[in-house]
Amino acid sequence: MKPPALRRLPRSCPSRRRERGVTMVLVAIALVAIIAMAALSIDVITLYLAREEAQRSADAAALAAARVISLSGLTGDPNNSVTPSLWQLVCGVSPAGAATQTATAVANQSAVGGSAATVTVTYAAGGTTTPDCTTLAGGPFGVNPMVTVQLSRASLPTFFSRIWGNTGNTVSATATAEAFNPSNSGNVGNQSPVAIIPVQPRCVK
């Protein structure tokens, strides 16, 4: 009679004792890899969506503020000679002007990552940036006012990546809009001066 092709090893075989616990180690390694992939997919997508939400809110807020400036008539009074107090009412700081209030309200209409973001509104002209447009009265700002809205959302919640000590992230977005007045841009920009009376267009870009 031929001996069997496969023989059972005795229970006390040394090679069997050395293999004990191997499955547990392999399962632990596989779990770490699965959690890492989950963190990469879920947490990164969460950050990406929050960043898109912040950008959309910043875009809408900047356009709304620029429209308020355009409708106010500032772009038709570059020397601020007719309504000196109008600048303060439109984009001043104390009290907050209509453009700043509008930008903040529009930005807060949409949550970023489930809650409101921090909103910062600034105005710029001729290389100068300030939260109070009254310091920019006259000159380029009176023709082509620019408003920038920055949104920042801190402590954005994370899920699987907490195991590595990451308890929160920050996303931010910035958008700039301009109440452009093409009729008088040559007088305050880098173009050759042109004798054109400024108008009050109702457009933003």
Coordinates of all heavy atoms in Angstrom, one line a residue, residues 65-114:
A65 N -21.4 93.3 -3.6 CA -20.9 94.6 -3.1 C -20.5 95.5 -4.2 O -20.7 96.7 -4.1 CB -19.6 94.2 -2.3
A66 N -19.9 95.0 -5.3 CA -19.6 95.8 -6.5 C -20.9 96.4 -7.1 O -20.8 97.6 -7.5 CB -18.8 95.0 -7.5
R67 N -21.9 95.7 -7.1 CA -23.2 96.2 -7.7 C -23.7 97.4 -6.8 O -24.2 98.4 -7.3 CB -24.2 95.1 -7.8 CG -25.5 95.6 -8.4 CD -26.4 94.5 -8.9 NE -27.7 95.0 -9.4 CZ -27.9 95.6 -10.5 NH1 -26.9 95.9 -11.3 NH2 -29.1 96.0 -10.8
V68 N -23.6 97.2 -5.5 CA -24.0 98.3 -4.6 C -23.2 99.6 -4.9 O -23.8 100.7 -4.9 CB -23.9 97.9 -3.1 CG1 -24.1 99.1 -2.2 CG2 -24.9 96.8 -2.8
I69 N -21.9 99.4 -5.0 CA -21.1 100.6 -5.3 C -21.5 101.2 -6.7 O -21.5 102.4 -6.8 CB -19.6 100.2 -5.3 CG1 -19.2 99.7 -4.0 CG2 -18.7 101.3 -5.8 CD1 -17.8 99.1 -3.9
S70 N -21.7 100.3 -7.7 CA -22.1 100.8 -9.0 C -23.4 101.6 -8.9 O -23.5 102.7 -9.5 CB -22.2 99.7 -10.0 OG -22.6 100.1 -11.2
L71 N -24.4 101.1 -8.2 CA -25.7 101.7 -8.2 C -25.6 103.0 -7.3 O -26.5 103.9 -7.5 CB -26.7 100.8 -7.6 CG -27.1 99.5 -8.4 CD1 -28.0 98.6 -7.7 CD2 -27.7 100.0 -9.7
S72 N -24.6 103.1 -6.5 CA -24.5 104.3 -5.6 C -24.2 105.6 -6.4 O -24.4 106.7 -5.9 CB -23.5 104.1 -4.5 OG -22.2 104.1 -5.1
G73 N -23.5 105.4 -7.5 CA -23.1 106.6 -8.3 C -21.7 107.0 -8.1 O -21.3 108.1 -8.6
L74 N -20.9 106.3 -7.3 CA -19.5 106.7 -7.0 C -18.7 106.7 -8.3 O -17.8 107.5 -8.4 CB -18.9 105.7 -6.0 CG -19.4 105.8 -4.6 CD1 -18.6 104.8 -3.7 CD2 -19.2 107.2 -4.0
T75 N -19.0 105.8 -9.2 CA -18.2 105.7 -10.5 C -18.5 106.9 -11.4 O -17.7 107.1 -12.3 CB -18.6 104.4 -11.2 OG1 -20.0 104.4 -11.5 CG2 -18.2 103.2 -10.4
G76 N -19.5 107.7 -11.1 CA -19.7 108.9 -11.9 C -19.2 110.2 -11.2 O -19.4 111.3 -11.7
D77 N -18.5 110.1 -10.0 CA -18.0 111.2 -9.3 C -16.6 110.9 -8.8 O -16.4 110.7 -7.6 CB -18.9 111.5 -8.1 CG -18.5 112.7 -7.4 OD1 -17.8 113.6 -7.9 OD2 -18.9 112.9 -6.2
P78 N -15.6 110.8 -9.7 CA -14.3 110.4 -9.4 C -13.6 111.4 -8.4 O -12.7 111.0 -7.6 CB -13.5 110.4 -10.7 CG -14.3 111.3 -11.6 CD -15.7 111.1 -11.2
N79 N -14.0 112.6 -8.4 CA -13.3 113.6 -7.5 C -14.1 113.8 -6.1 O -13.6 114.6 -5.3 CB -13.2 115.0 -8.2 CG -12.3 114.9 -9.4 OD1 -11.3 114.3 -9.4 ND2 -12.8 115.6 -10.5
N80 N -15.2 113.0 -6.0 CA -15.9 113.1 -4.7 C -16.3 114.5 -4.4 O -16.2 115.0 -3.3 CB -15.1 112.5 -3.6 CG -16.0 112.3 -2.3 OD1 -17.2 112.1 -2.4 ND2 -15.4 112.2 -1.2
S81 N -16.7 115.3 -5.4 CA -17.0 116.7 -5.2 C -18.5 117.0 -5.0 O -18.8 118.1 -4.5 CB -16.6 117.5 -6.5 OG -17.2 117.0 -7.6
V82 N -19.4 116.1 -5.2 CA -20.8 116.4 -5.1 C -21.3 115.8 -3.8 O -22.0 116.5 -3.1 CB -21.6 115.7 -6.3 CG1 -23.0 116.0 -6.1 CG2 -21.0 116.3 -7.6
T83 N -21.0 114.6 -3.5 CA -21.6 114.0 -2.3 C -20.5 113.5 -1.4 O -20.1 112.3 -1.4 CB -22.5 112.9 -2.6 OG1 -21.8 112.0 -3.5 CG2 -23.8 113.4 -3.3
P84 N -19.8 114.3 -0.6 CA -18.7 113.9 0.3 C -19.0 112.8 1.2 O -18.2 111.9 1.6 CB -18.3 115.1 1.0 CG -18.8 116.3 0.2 CD -20.1 115.8 -0.4
S85 N -20.3 112.8 1.8 CA -20.6 111.8 2.8 C -21.1 110.5 2.2 O -21.3 109.5 2.9 CB -21.8 112.3 3.6 OG -22.9 112.6 2.8
L86 N -21.2 110.4 0.8 CA -21.7 109.2 0.2 C -20.7 108.0 0.3 O -21.1 106.9 0.5 CB -22.0 109.5 -1.3 CG -22.6 108.3 -2.1 CD1 -24.0 107.9 -1.5 CD2 -22.8 108.7 -3.5
W87 N -19.4 108.3 0.3 CA -18.4 107.3 0.4 C -18.5 106.5 1.7 O -18.4 105.3 1.7 CB -17.0 107.9 0.3 CG -16.7 108.5 -1.0 CD1 -17.3 109.7 -1.5 CD2 -15.9 108.0 -2.1 NE1 -16.8 110.0 -2.8 CE2 -15.9 109.0 -3.1 CE3 -15.1 106.9 -2.2 CZ2 -15.2 108.8 -4.3 CZ3 -14.4 106.7 -3.4 CH2 -14.4 107.6 -4.4
Q88 N -18.7 107.3 2.8 CA -18.9 106.6 4.1 C -20.1 105.7 4.1 O -20.1 104.6 4.7 CB -19.0 107.7 5.2 CG -19.2 107.2 6.6 CD -18.1 106.3 7.1 OE1 -16.9 106.7 6.9 NE2 -18.4 105.2 7.8
L89 N -21.2 106.2 3.5 CA -22.4 105.4 3.6 C -22.3 104.1 2.7 O -22.9 103.1 3.1 CB -23.6 106.3 3.1 CG -24.0 107.5 4.0 CD1 -25.1 108.3 3.3 CD2 -24.4 107.0 5.3
V90 N -21.6 104.2 1.7 CA -21.5 103.1 0.7 C -20.5 102.1 1.2 O -20.7 100.9 1.2 CB -21.2 103.6 -0.7 CG1 -21.0 102.4 -1.6 CG2 -22.3 104.4 -1.2
C91 N -19.3 102.5 1.5 CA -18.2 101.5 1.8 C -17.3 102.0 2.9 O -16.1 101.7 2.9 CB -17.4 101.2 0.6 SG -16.9 102.6 -0.4
G92 N -17.8 102.7 3.9 CA -17.1 103.1 5.1 C -17.0 102.0 6.1 O -17.5 100.9 5.9
V93 N -16.3 102.2 7.2 CA -16.2 101.2 8.2 C -17.1 101.4 9.4 O -17.7 100.5 9.9 CB -14.7 101.1 8.7 CG1 -14.5 100.3 9.9 CG2 -13.8 100.6 7.6
S94 N -17.1 102.7 9.9 CA -17.9 103.0 11.1 C -18.9 104.1 10.9 O -18.5 105.2 10.8 CB -16.9 103.4 12.3 OG -17.6 103.6 13.5
P95 N -20.2 103.7 10.7 CA -20.7 102.4 10.7 C -20.4 101.7 9.3 O -20.0 102.4 8.4 CB -22.2 102.6 10.8 CG -22.4 104.0 10.2 CD -21.2 104.8 10.5
A96 N -20.6 100.4 9.3 CA -20.3 99.6 8.1 C -21.1 100.1 6.9 O -22.4 100.3 7.1 CB -20.5 98.2 8.3
G97 N -20.5 100.3 5.8 CA -21.3 100.8 4.6 C -22.1 99.8 4.0 O -22.1 98.6 4.4
A98 N -23.0 100.2 3.1 CA -24.0 99.3 2.5 C -23.3 98.2 1.7 O -23.7 97.0 1.7 CB -24.9 100.1 1.6
A99 N -22.2 98.5 1.0 CA -21.5 97.5 0.3 C -20.9 96.4 1.2 O -21.0 95.2 0.9 CB -20.4 98.1 -0.6
T100 N -20.3 96.8 2.3 CA -19.8 95.8 3.2 C -20.9 95.0 3.9 O -20.7 93.8 4.0 CB -19.0 96.6 4.3 OG1 -17.9 97.3 3.7 CG2 -18.4 95.6 5.3
Q101 N -21.9 95.6 4.2 CA -23.1 94.9 4.8 C -23.7 93.9 3.8 O -24.0 92.8 4.2 CB -24.1 95.9 5.3 CG -23.7 96.7 6.5 CD -24.8 97.7 6.9 OE1 -26.0 97.5 6.5 NE2 -24.5 98.6 7.8
T102 N -23.8 94.3 2.6 CA -24.3 93.4 1.6 C -23.4 92.2 1.3 O -23.9 91.1 1.2 CB -24.5 94.2 0.2 OG1 -25.4 95.3 0.5 CG2 -25.1 93.3 -0.8
A103 N -22.1 92.5 1.2 CA -21.2 91.4 1.0 C -21.2 90.4 2.2 O -21.2 89.2 1.9 CB -19.8 91.9 0.8
T104 N -21.3 90.9 3.4 CA -21.3 90.0 4.5 C -22.6 89.2 4.6 O -22.6 88.0 4.8 CB -21.2 90.8 5.8 OG1 -20.0 91.6 5.8 CG2 -21.2 89.9 7.1
A105 N -23.7 89.8 4.3 CA -25.0 89.1 4.3 C -25.1 88.1 3.2 O -25.6 87.0 3.4 CB -26.2 90.2 4.1
V106 N -24.6 88.4 2.0 CA -24.6 87.4 0.9 C -23.7 86.2 1.2 O -24.1 85.1 1.0 CB -24.2 88.1 -0.4 CG1 -24.1 87.0 -1.5 CG2 -25.3 89.1 -0.9
A107 N -22.5 86.5 1.8 CA -21.6 85.4 2.1 C -22.1 84.5 3.2 O -21.9 83.3 3.2 CB -20.3 86.0 2.6
N108 N -22.9 85.1 4.1 CA -23.5 84.2 5.2 C -24.7 83.5 4.8 O -25.2 82.7 5.6 CB -23.7 85.1 6.4 CG -22.5 85.6 7.1 OD1 -21.4 84.9 7.1 ND2 -22.5 86.7 7.8
Q109 N -25.2 83.7 3.6 CA -26.4 83.0 3.2 C -26.1 81.5 3.0 O -27.0 80.7 3.1 CB -27.0 83.6 1.9 CG -27.8 84.9 2.2 CD -28.3 85.5 0.9 OE1 -28.0 85.0 -0.2 NE2 -29.1 86.5 1.0
S110 N -24.9 81.2 2.6 CA -24.5 79.8 2.3 C -23.5 79.4 3.3 O -22.5 80.1 3.5 CB -24.0 79.7 0.9 OG -24.9 80.1 -0.1
A111 N -23.8 78.3 4.0 CA -22.8 77.7 4.9 C -21.6 77.1 4.2 O -21.7 76.6 3.1 CB -23.5 76.7 5.8
V112 N -20.5 77.1 4.9 CA -19.3 76.5 4.4 C -18.9 75.4 5.4 O -18.6 75.6 6.5 CB -18.1 77.5 4.3 CG1 -16.8 76.8 3.9 CG2 -18.4 78.6 3.4
G113 N -19.0 74.2 4.9 CA -18.8 73.0 5.8 C -19.7 72.9 6.9 O -19.4 72.5 8.0
G114 N -21.0 73.4 6.7 CA -22.0 73.2 7.7 C -22.2 74.4 8.7 O -23.1 74.4 9.5

